[in-house]
Amino acid sequence: MVTTAGNGTGQADITRATANMAAHHRRIAWHEAATAGDEPASSAPLADKADLVGRVGLMLLAAGTGAWRVREAMNRMSDVLGVTCVADVGLTSISASVRDGDELTNVVLSLPSSGVNTERIWLLERAVADLEASGADLTVHEWHDKLDRIERVPGRYAPWAAGLASAFACGAFVFLLGGGPIEMLCAFVGAGIGNWLRRLMLDRHINQFCAIGGSVACACLAYLAVLNLLPLVGVADAASHEVGYIGAMLFVIPGFPLITSGLDLMKLDLRSGIERLVYAVAVIFVATLVAWLVASFVALTPGDFEKMGLTPLAYCLLRLVASFVGVYGFSVMFNSPPRMAATAGLIGMVANTLRLELVSLAGTPPEAAAFAGALTAGLLASAVCRRVGFPRISLTVPSIVIMVPGLYMYKAIYYMGIFDAANMTAWLARAVIIVAFLPLGLGLARALTDTRWRHCS
C-alpha cells in the first residue's frame, strides 16, 4: 500500500511505485544504494565495492556471455578496487563473496530472463579496460554513471530489421542444407515473419517460451502459405518443395547458450554449463514440438531435398556466399554492429564452407567436419580479434551457429512423435555428437591461442 502523507508524492509516483511492487524481478537502484560520497571508489565501503563488481558481472551475464568471461571481468574490477571476489555464475544469477581484509559481504544478483547482445559485450569489455586504467580514481557514482550509459544504449535493430536478418539467414541456411530457390523463398518469408513476431513479443516482455512457440507456428504456417500461393503465379510443382518448411523456424536455434554451455563445462563451470544446456534443450524442445504439431495438422513428413545438379565448383562458390549471408544475418539477430557482423560473416564463410566441402568432397563424417569447422572458426577469430578489437565470443559463436544441426533435431522430435524409436535415436545421436564437437573445436582453438584460458589458475 502506498500513501501520500504530506510528502508531495503525485499519482504518477504512486503508479510507478505500485508497478515496481508488482514486478517479480526487482531492479536495484544502484545510485541510491551507494553510501559512498566523493572519495575514490577504491576507498569506498565494502558494500559499494561489491555492488560495482556484481553489477559489471550481471551486465555481462545479461548480454549472454559465458561464466569464465563474467568471472574474469569481476576479478579485474576487484583488483582495481582492492578486494577479492569469489563468484558462482549461473545462467541468470550470480552469487559472490567479496572480501576486503577481515571484512566480508555477500552479493546475490539475478536476471528475469536470458538473452544475447554482442554489442553490449563489446562495450562492457571496453569499459572494463577503461576502469582498469582509471577506475581507482573515479567515485562510486562515476562508475555507475559509466555503466548506466552502456545500459541505456538501445538495440541497434528494430523488429522489422531483425525479421529481415532472420529471413536472409534462414534462406541461406536452407540452401546449405540442400534446398533450392523455392524452399529458400518460402523460408525467407516464414522466418522473416516469425522472427519479427518474436521480437515484438519479447519487446513486450512476453514469456520467452510463449514467444518461441507462437513465432515458430507463425513461421511454419507462413512457409506453407507461400508454398500454396506459388501455383497461382505459374510454379506448378511447388507442392513438392514442402520439405524445406523446417528452415523457416531455424531462427530460434539457441546457438549462443548451446556453444557457451560446452565452453563452460570445459572450464568446469558446471553450474553455468548445465543451466545453459538445459535452457538450450528446452528452447529446442519447444520449437521442434510446435513445428511437429503444425506438420501433423497439415500432413507434412520430413524428407530429403531434391538435387539441384550443380557442379562442385558452383556449389563451393554458392556455399561461400550463403555462409556469409547466414552468419551475417545471425550476427544481426545477436545485435552485432555491421562491422562486427561482417567480420563474423567472413570467418563463418571460410569455416562453414570448409566443413561442407570436407563432407561432400572428402567423405569426412559430418561430426568430424563440424569439429574441423569450429576449430577453424576459433583460430581465425583469435587472429582477427587482436586486430579489430572485438570480443572473441562475438565472432566465434555467430560464425558456427550455422553449423548447429537444427534439421537433425527436428527429425528426432518428429520421429519421436510418431513413435519411430529407431529413426528418432539415429537422428538424435547425430545431432548430439555434432553439437558436442562444436564447442570442442572452439575450446581447442582457445586453448591453443589463449594462455590464460589454457591454464587452470
Side-chain angles (χ1 to χ4, degrees):
M1 181 177 179
V2 179
T3 60
T4 57
N7 58 3
T9 303
Q11 184 63 41
D13 294 318
I14 296 175
T15 303
R16 283 195 295 271
T18 305
N20 183 62
M21 290 176 64
H24 188 67
H25 290 268
R26 307 298 170 86
R27 294 181 62 86
I28 297 175
W30 297 104
H31 287 276
E32 295 177 18
T35 59
D38 294 332
E39 70 268 27
S42 56
S43 303
L46 179 58
D48 290 341
K49 294 179 180 180
D51 281 348
L52 291 174
V53 172
R55 188 181 182 191
V56 169
L58 191 70
M59 289 177 67
L60 272 169
L61 189 64
T65 194
W68 190 86
R69 190 177 294 270
V70 170
R71 186 178 294 106
E72 182 189 38
M74 295 175 72
N75 287 336
R76 290 165 66 184
M77 295 299 89
S78 298
D79 292 341
V80 174
L81 297 172
V83 297
T84 302
C85 175
V86 178
D88 185 25
V89 183
L91 172 67
T92 59
S93 63
I94 298 174
S95 302
S97 294
V98 183
R99 182 181 291 275
D100 187 358
D102 58 354
E103 287 187 85
L104 176 68
T105 188
N106 295 318
V107 178
V108 178
L109 302 167
S110 67
L111 300 167
S113 63
S114 178
V116 179
N117 188 331
T118 51
E119 182 179 34
R120 181 163 292 183
I121 295 173
W122 181 37
L123 294 175
L124 283 167
E125 290 208 347
R126 291 166 58 186
V128 167
D130 291 343
L131 289 170
E132 273 190 311
S134 59
D137 299 324
L138 300 178
T139 69
V140 169
H141 291 285
E142 287 172 333
W143 274 60
H144 283 305
D145 286 338
K146 194 175 189 69
L147 298 177
D148 286 342
R149 287 192 289 273
I150 295 175
E151 222 170 31
R152 286 194 291 264
V153 174
R156 282 184 167 265
Y157 306 103
W160 68 265
L164 188 62
S166 171
F168 277 105
C170 290
F173 210 147
V174 167
F175 172 79
L176 295 171
L177 291 173
I182 294 177
E183 291 93 347
M184 292 171 64
L185 172 63
C186 296
F188 180 94
V189 175
I193 294 174
N195 198 44
W196 168 77
L197 176 63
R198 184 178 67 152
R199 270 292 306 273
L200 289 179
M201 296 175 75
L202 292 178
D203 288 350
R204 287 159 176 77
H205 306 290
I206 303 297
N207 178 277
Q208 279 200 23
F209 291 100
C210 295
I212 290 168
S215 61
V216 167
C218 183
C220 293
L221 292 173
Y223 181 101
L224 295 173
V226 175
L227 198 65
N228 289 321
L229 290 174
L230 287 177
L232 301 179
V233 294
V235 183
D237 63 338
S240 64
H241 297 274
E242 61 184 21
V243 64
Y245 93 103
I246 189 60
M249 51 79 66
L250 293 177
F251 61 89
V252 300
I253 295 299
F256 240 87
L258 264 182
I259 304 305
T260 53
S261 70
L263 295 174
D264 283 344
L265 291 172
M266 292 178 68
K267 295 296 291 181
L268 295 183
D269 279 308
L270 297 182
R271 178 190 166 196
S272 177
I274 292 171
E275 289 182 10
R276 289 172 185 275
L277 181 60
V278 171
Y279 168 73
V281 170
V283 171
I284 292 168
F285 200 66
V286 170
T288 51
L289 276 179
V290 171
W292 170 80
L293 192 63
V294 173
S296 66
F297 277 126
V298 295
L300 288 180
T301 58
D304 297 323
F305 292 100
E306 295 180 5
K307 299 293 184 181
M308 288 186 288
L310 298 175
T311 64
L313 177 60
Y315 258 125
C316 181
L317 294 176
L318 289 174
R319 282 169 173 169
L320 286 168
V321 175
S323 296
F324 176 84
V325 171
V327 173
Y328 189 98
F330 281 118
S331 296
V332 169
M333 291 166 59
F334 297 147
N335 199 51
S336 295
R339 184 162 164 259
M340 183 187 293
T343 305
L346 291 172
I347 293 171
M349 178 179 74
V350 175
N352 191 54
T353 303
L354 172 65
R355 174 183 71 95
L356 294 171
E357 293 299 309
L358 284 174
V359 173
S360 61
L361 296 182
T364 306
E367 299 79 9
F371 175 78
L375 176 63
T376 302
L379 293 174
L380 290 175
S382 298
V384 169
C385 69
R386 297 188 182 96
R387 299 175 180 269
V388 298
F390 296 138
R392 187 195 311 254
I393 196 171
S394 67
L395 302 179
T396 54
V397 176
S399 66
I400 68 170
V401 165
I402 204 164
M403 303 181 191
V404 174
L407 180 61
Y408 292 4
M409 297 172 183
Y410 168 72
K411 286 187 175 183
I413 296 298
Y414 173 85
Y415 287 116
M416 182 183 73
I418 62 173
F419 304 103
D420 185 342
N423 275 316
M424 180 202 74
T425 304
W427 286 109
L428 181 61
R430 297 186 71 180
V432 168
I433 295 173
I434 290 175
V435 168
F437 270 120
L438 293 178
L440 280 177
L442 284 187
L444 177 58
R446 187 73 181 268
L448 291 173
T449 58
D450 187 342
T451 55
R452 295 200 65 225
W453 202 86
R454 180 165 63 242
H455 294 281
C456 180
S457 59

